[in-house]
Amino acid sequence: QVQLVESGGGLVQVGGSLRLACTASGRTFSRYGVGWFRQAPGKERDLVAAISWSGGNIYYADSVKGRFTISRDNSKNTAYLQMNSLEPEDTAIYYCAADRLPDFTIETISNRFQYDYWGQGTQVTVSS
């Protein structure tokens, strides 16, 4: 069993930065791939970025490529999402999710039903 807790959300102005953290309980976090998803009001929950258990595979959605960086520190049971150059369109609730991903194809990592464990979400609001 893995429990995930997100932190680091908040209100920021356009062009600002935030770093989200996803801290996991349990000793097997290092075996899980992690995805960061976001959901804006009235919209679907979409994948923003994903990282494999080793950190050797990383994916970014086109909308955040070059602005967001996903990373993980397995010694701290924590995954991060560094968000720079934030835009109003980035406003959403951000969720981290973990799963022993069978592969790192886009079909797998972008499927929210693939992930067994989810955090409670953290609100990110970008004001203009």
Side-chain angles (χ1 to χ4, degrees):
Q1 191 79 359
V2 175
Q3 292 183 324
L4 305 175
V5 177
E6 299 102 335
S7 60
L11 174 65
V12 65
Q13 291 187 331
V14 170
S17 298
L18 286 172
R19 188 175 82 154
L20 306 182
C22 173
T23 302
S25 64
R27 294 176 291 177
T28 61
F29 177 70
S30 61
R31 301 179 186 177
Y32 289 80
V34 173
W36 282 99
F37 289 75
R38 67 185 180 188
Q39 187 167 21
K43 294 190 175 181
E44 296 288 320
R45 188 175 299 189
D46 292 327
L47 180 69
V48 173
I51 188 167
S52 61
W53 66 272
S54 67
N57 289 294
I58 287 176
Y59 166 85
Y60 296 103
D62 287 343
S63 58
V64 306
K65 203 171 292 184
R67 299 187 299 122
F68 290 11
T69 302
I70 190 171
S71 62
R72 66 189 298 158
D73 185 342
N74 287 338
S75 69
K76 297 182 178 179
N77 278 4
T78 302
Y80 303 96
L81 186 67
Q82 177 68 43
M83 306 186 295
N84 298 329
S85 302
L86 284 162
E87 304 168 351
E89 294 73 23
D90 296 317
T91 295
I93 299 175
Y94 284 69
Y95 300 89
C96 69
D99 189 76
R100 294 193 184 198
L101 300 171
D103 55 59
F104 207 77
T105 61
I106 184 61
E107 292 79 12
T108 295
I109 62 175
S110 63
N111 179 7
R112 65 183 186 271
F113 300 108
Q114 172 69 47
Y115 294 81
D116 285 337
Y117 305 104
W118 288 85
Q120 81 288 355
T122 185
Q123 177 71 47
V124 171
T125 303
V126 184
S127 67
S128 55

